[in-house]
Each structure stands twice: as C-alpha cells, then as structure tokens.
Amino acid sequence: MRFNISRFFYYPYQKTNLQNCNFPMKLIQSFQKSYNNLPYDEYIPDKTRQRRYANYLVKNIKDNKNNINKFSIKHTEKITFEQNVEDSRKDERIFQLIENPYHPFLLNFITLASELTYMNHYPPIQNLSIDVHQVRQICYPELNSHNSAEGIHQDGADFIISACVLNRYNIQGGTSSIYDNNLNLIYDTLLRKNEFIFQDDKSLYHYVTPIQYSKIHSSEQIGYRDIIGLDIQIL
C-alpha cells in the first residue's frame, strides 16, 4: 500500500483524513466494533475513558528495486507504558492489550504513521517503537470527559498522532489545539470522523478540550468519542 501523504509545510504538523491518504476505508468498520468491548481505564476514577494498548517495533526495509520504503511491523506484547514527561504520566501504567494486534486496520494505520515519520524526519529512520492507544471517551448529561486533564502538554515522543477520530456519537466539543514551544496557539480544529493530526512532539505542544453530552443522534443518555492515538519513538 502506498499512501498519499506529504511533508510538513510551515509548522511541523499536518491535519488530514484517512480518505485523502488513500487509506483502505473498508477496514474501519470491523475494527470499530472492538470499541464496544473496551475495559475502563483504571487510572480514570470517574469511568469517562476506556482503553486498550499495544506496542509495535517497526523496521524500515528499503526496496531499492522499486525505490520505495517497506515497513516490517511486530507486536511486542508489552503491557506497560510510561512517558518521558514531568507530570504523573511519567509513572508506569499497565493496560490491557488490544484484542487483535494484527488487525489489518492497525497494520495499515501504523504503516501510514511510519511513512509520515520517514518523510518528515532527517536523517532517514531505520527503526521505530510505536505505542498505540485505542480509546473511547465517554460523557453523560451531567459529566464531561477530559482527554487532556494535564493541560497543554507534550507526550514525550518524537512524533505523535494525537488522535485519529473514528466516531463521534451524541457529543459536542473535543477541539484539538496546537502550540509552539513558547505555548503560543498556532492552530485549532474540531476533528471529525476519520480526521487526524500528525505532529512533531519535540517542537510542538497540544491540547484537546473536553467533550460534552449532546442529544444529536438519539435520546440515549450517553455520548462518546472513539479515537486511535500513536506515540512514535525513533530508535
């Protein structure tokens, strides 16, 4: 699969969507079903977030004959996650593993992220460690859901996909913002279904506003936002 991607232009971030990247959209529906079986994130006491996790080692294999990069992806079965930050996220956390770590959606999405990293980093990369977070934020009429409770922050990675939104149901809010190293706001946007932001986590900060319940799709007293987030480390 060759994805339709581009280099950073002015600031080291880009917003796009899966369709424009030539992503195989038929893979999304079957993966989305797994969000209905996510365990609650035990580190969030008010039960407004569910999460599974997986780590992958990615090797760049140059195909000199066709002048393209191919990526070998291996799931490591690692269950612990910690971030190179100064707040409480630096502490080791343990998450349940993504149920099907070799689901074609995940393999294609990791390949897409690897190609974006390769295109926007110099010197060329050889190996990556990619942490994948499958998250459902949940809100209720009287209870919002925060996915950036630590405020404006970095994730302690080289590059990130802060969120690729796969579904929004009965919610409003969830505006993503990007800041430069002086914490000046340079961009904000409301990510819709299948949209995502890829950014340099060393030189930029980010934040997302809470989601609130809004009776849009039904009178059911619950709303949620399904996302995939990636932390990308160059090895």
Side-chain angles (χ1 to χ4, degrees):
M1 171 67 69
R2 297 291 300 276
F3 293 103
N4 178 29
I5 57 176
S6 60
R7 297 186 186 277
F8 294 141
F9 180 60
Y10 187 69
Y11 287 106
Y13 75 88
Q14 54 184 275
K15 173 193 173 183
T16 185
N17 62 64
L18 294 176
Q19 293 96 324
N20 287 347
C21 291
N22 194 33
F23 192 88
M25 303 301 290
K26 64 182 180 180
L27 301 177
I28 298 175
Q29 186 174 5
S30 63
F31 183 72
Q32 277 186 305
K33 295 177 181 178
S34 64
Y35 280 86
N36 297 324
N37 191 34
L38 292 181
Y40 282 102
D41 185 336
E42 65 181 57
Y43 302 97
I44 306 297
D46 61 9
K47 292 189 175 181
T48 57
R49 187 162 70 193
Q50 296 173 309
R51 184 198 294 244
R52 287 189 186 273
Y53 165 79
N55 173 263
Y56 298 82
L57 293 179
V58 180
K59 293 186 177 182
N60 178 24
I61 304 171
K62 183 71 175 180
D63 184 342
N64 292 315
K65 180 180 178 181
N66 297 306
N67 194 31
I68 61 173
N69 298 292
K70 294 183 177 179
F71 296 95
S72 169
I73 301 171
K74 180 181 179 182
H75 176 234
T76 68
E77 298 189 6
K78 175 174 171 280
I79 62 172
T80 60
F81 176 70
E82 59 280 332
Q83 294 172 277
N84 184 24
V85 295
E86 297 300 321
D87 55 53
S88 62
R89 294 173 299 143
K90 69 180 184 298
D91 299 329
E92 183 179 272
R93 289 171 286 171
I94 297 175
F95 298 113
Q96 293 188 35
L97 292 176
I98 287 175
E99 287 188 319
N100 182 0
Y102 287 104
H103 191 286
F105 169 84
L106 290 171
L107 295 180
N108 276 272
F109 193 62
I110 293 168
T111 300
L112 170 58
S114 300
E115 288 189 7
L116 280 165
T117 303
Y118 183 89
M119 177 173 287
N120 288 288
H121 183 269
Y122 185 83
I125 60 165
Q126 296 300 320
N127 301 294
L128 298 171
S129 174
I130 298 183
D131 294 302
V132 178
H133 305 273
Q134 182 185 12
V135 173
R136 169 169 282 184
Q137 286 182 259
I138 305 172
C139 60
Y140 305 94
E142 303 300 327
L143 184 61
N144 298 339
S145 178
H146 299 252
N147 208 39
S148 290
E150 61 278 1
I152 300 170
H153 64 282
Q154 293 176 314
D155 285 349
D158 290 304
F159 295 88
I160 60 170
I161 291 179
S162 54
C164 177
V165 176
L166 298 184
N167 198 14
R168 290 174 58 95
Y169 179 79
N170 274 2
I171 64 169
Q172 60 183 354
T175 297
S176 297
S177 301
I178 299 176
Y179 303 80
D180 65 19
N181 251 334
N182 296 314
L183 300 186
N184 297 310
L185 177 66
I186 58 176
Y187 182 73
D188 59 8
T189 185
L190 183 68
L191 292 176
R192 302 294 183 183
K193 188 174 180 179
N194 299 326
E195 293 182 334
F196 68 92
I197 296 175
F198 172 76
Q199 72 181 72
D200 185 330
D201 192 53
K202 296 292 189 183
S203 62
L204 298 176
Y205 287 73
H206 63 284
Y207 177 72
V208 60
T209 63
I211 60 169
Q212 303 93 35
Y213 171 81
S214 180
K215 189 169 65 175
I216 297 173
H217 297 96
S218 76
S219 59
E220 188 178 9
Q221 299 290 291
I222 189 173
Y224 51 83
R225 179 177 185 252
D226 294 340
I227 63 174
I228 283 284
L230 269 60
D231 297 308
I232 304 165
Q233 293 280 7
I234 298 171
L235 302 179

